[in-house]
Amino acid sequence: MGGGTDPAHPQAAPEELRERAHGHRRRHGEPGDRLAGLLPYGDANAIVQDMAREVLPVVRDTPVLAGVCGTDPFRRMDLFLDELKAMGFAGVQNFPTVGLYDGTFRVNLEETGMGYGLEVDMVRAAHERDLLTAPYVFDPEQAADMSAAGADVLVPHVGLTTKGAIGAGTALTLDQAAAAVQEMHDAAKRVNPDILVLCHGGPIAEPEDARYVLEHTTGVVGFFGASSIERLPTERAVTEQTRAFKALTLG
């Protein structure tokens, strides 16, 4: 699965699924990789709809997920999901997500009715509309809640992706990530044995990292890529191409 930096070339490396979240646009304009998509820099859900007009007419053979801000206080989520389905989105994911917040601020979000439970409600409503649901979860309790809400594909998220020019410097080890993914997998499977569970984020940045986690877990069936599929390869490609041009000699 990939976010797809270049929608004009959807078949260049065809994923089984693509996602459009406003964080994908933000990462091209601000520092901090996906963190910019978690800050109040724009109307996340409106940006996704705007991006859909660029992406959906081009990506015709690959299902596209919408990154939905489930805590958006300015939308009737039922009507918004109907709009996304009518636009041609095949499913949704809960991004931006409050799951990446912690500490006192996170507690305050939960206390004031802007917590992760709204994202669970969004996934439940999407499931009722026969949209594919692939939510991020951050702990076993959330994994169980999303599984009960009808999630089709669960994505245990183990932190901001490392490596590259702007990757996170603070992350779990691969062994810690594998253990965390396994705990979330087990919690989800106890609720729904048929749910598909992937892995994502933190130190799982390169193919060999994903292979390590998959080899050190049981029942996890794949990798959900974002930065790993669009940012990291793009950084390398642009750097190598620029160096090649700079290496040209005159005369």
Side-chain angles (χ1 to χ4, degrees):
M1 183 279 172
T5 297
D6 189 355
H9 298 83
Q11 306 307 323
E15 305 95 346
E16 294 183 7
L17 191 69
R18 293 168 76 93
E19 178 206 4
R20 299 313 297 173
H22 93 295
H24 294 125
R25 175 170 290 178
R26 289 300 174 195
R27 78 175 64 201
H28 300 300
E30 290 101 4
D33 192 35
R34 285 198 125 185
L35 292 185
L38 297 173
L39 294 172
Y41 294 158
D43 182 340
N45 287 328
I47 291 171
V48 167
Q49 288 183 300
D50 186 45
M51 293 171 71
R53 297 179 182 93
E54 304 170 2
V55 176
L56 292 176
V58 178
V59 184
R60 299 182 179 181
D61 299 324
T62 304
V64 180
L65 301 185
V68 176
C69 179
T71 58
D72 187 344
F74 301 110
R75 276 175 176 77
R76 278 272 307 273
M77 193 52 61
D78 53 346
L79 300 180
F80 181 62
L81 291 172
D82 290 339
E83 290 178 24
L84 294 178
K85 186 171 184 178
M87 292 181 75
F89 281 107
V92 299
Q93 185 181 55
N94 57 327
F95 191 87
T97 172
V98 300
L100 284 169
Y101 290 120
D102 57 14
T104 301
F105 182 60
R106 173 61 183 279
V107 172
N108 291 160
L109 288 174
E110 299 291 341
E111 291 173 341
T112 53
M114 294 183 286
Y116 188 84
L118 293 177
E119 299 179 24
V120 177
D121 292 341
M122 182 275 291
V123 166
R124 182 180 296 106
H127 174 71
E128 292 170 352
R129 285 161 174 76
D130 200 30
L131 287 162
L132 180 73
T133 53
Y136 283 135
V137 297
F138 302 86
D139 60 44
E141 181 179 358
Q142 293 174 1
D145 289 344
M146 283 296 191
S147 187
D152 300 293
V153 181
L154 202 74
V155 188
H157 193 308
V158 291
L160 188 67
T161 301
T162 60
K163 302 183 181 179
I166 57 172
T170 302
L172 301 176
T173 66
L174 281 173
D175 285 327
Q176 290 171 329
V181 169
Q182 189 68 62
E183 289 180 1
M184 288 183 263
H185 165 279
D186 294 348
K189 287 283 190 175
R190 283 192 288 270
V191 177
N192 176 13
D194 295 326
I195 194 170
L196 299 177
V197 181
L198 309 181
C199 60
H200 170 81
I204 317 172
E206 300 286 358
E208 59 268 24
D209 303 324
R211 180 184 297 112
Y212 185 91
V213 170
L214 293 173
E215 290 176 348
H216 289 78
T217 53
T218 301
V220 178
V221 296
F223 170 72
F224 189 97
S227 301
S228 299
I229 288 179
E230 54 178 279
R231 175 175 65 81
L232 294 178
T234 301
E235 287 179 1
R236 287 193 288 264
V238 171
T239 299
E240 291 172 5
Q241 186 79 338
T242 302
R243 285 174 177 165
F245 277 110
K246 289 182 68 177
L248 294 174
T249 57
L250 300 178

